[in-house]
Amino acid sequence: MKTLVKTIAIALFSVVSVATFANNEANNPTKTQNFRVGMYQTTNTLRMNVLVEKVVGKKLTIILKDAQGKVLSQEIIAKGSDSYFGKFDMSNLSDGKYTFEITDGTEKIVKQVNLETTTPTESTRTIELN
C-alpha cells in the first residue's frame, strides 16, 4: 500500500511539474523579437511615417498593399543598418483599406490603414472686426 501511495504521489508531482513548466514557457517566451515598428501620420497630410528598429544582420522588407493585395510600394532595409525612417505619401491613393507588411522572412508585422475622405457636415463662417 505504501508503495502505491508513493507511486501516485510521484506521478502527481511529475504532472504538476510538467504543467507548470509548460505554463511558464507560454507566459514567458524566450524568443526575442528581431524588429519593432512604429507608425504615425504627419499632421494635416496624407503621409505615413514608418519607424523601424531592427537587429543588425537581418534584412527587412516593407510592403504597402491595397485591399486586393496588389503591391503599391516596397522598401528594403539593408542588413547593416539598425534603424529605418521612411515616409509614404498616400495622397495619390483612393479611399480604401491599405496594409503595411514589415517582414524579415520569418517574422511579420502587419499594420492596417484606412484612407477615407470626409466632407464637412457644417459650414463655418467668421466675421472679423478691425
Side-chain angles (χ1 to χ4, degrees):
M1 182 74 169
K2 275 187 169 180
T3 308
L4 179 63
V5 171
K6 284 182 182 178
T7 305
I8 291 173
I10 291 171
L12 282 174
F13 179 76
S14 298
V15 170
V16 170
S17 296
V18 170
T20 303
F21 176 77
N23 191 27
N24 286 340
E25 286 295 307
N27 291 333
N28 301 318
T30 56
K31 185 178 180 217
T32 59
Q33 200 173 20
N34 290 329
F35 59 94
R36 296 185 309 175
V37 177
M39 288 179 63
Y40 65 94
Q41 178 184 0
T42 303
T43 308
N44 297 324
T45 69
L46 291 176
R47 261 189 243 129
M48 288 301 297
N49 299 299
V50 178
L51 298 101
V52 178
E53 290 181 351
K54 69 177 200 65
V55 174
V56 174
K58 287 278 197 175
K59 179 178 81 168
L60 288 181
T61 305
I62 301 173
I63 303 169
L64 173 61
K65 294 181 179 181
D66 64 10
Q68 289 74 37
K70 179 182 173 190
V71 175
L72 304 174
S73 177
Q74 183 171 330
E75 296 278 332
I76 296 176
I77 305 170
K79 289 181 180 182
S81 69
D82 63 350
S83 63
Y84 168 84
F85 177 74
K87 294 182 179 190
F88 290 83
D89 185 8
M90 301 181 78
S91 61
N92 59 348
L93 300 176
S94 60
D95 288 358
K97 295 185 186 294
Y98 296 91
T99 305
F100 283 90
E101 290 182 6
I102 301 93
T103 183
D104 66 355
T106 55
E107 291 181 42
K108 183 193 293 189
I109 295 177
V110 177
K111 302 280 188 174
Q112 299 287 331
V113 175
N114 188 23
L115 192 59
E116 183 177 288
T117 304
T118 58
T119 56
T121 57
E122 167 181 320
S123 62
T124 305
R125 293 175 69 182
T126 60
I127 299 174
E128 186 176 312
L129 296 173
N130 289 326

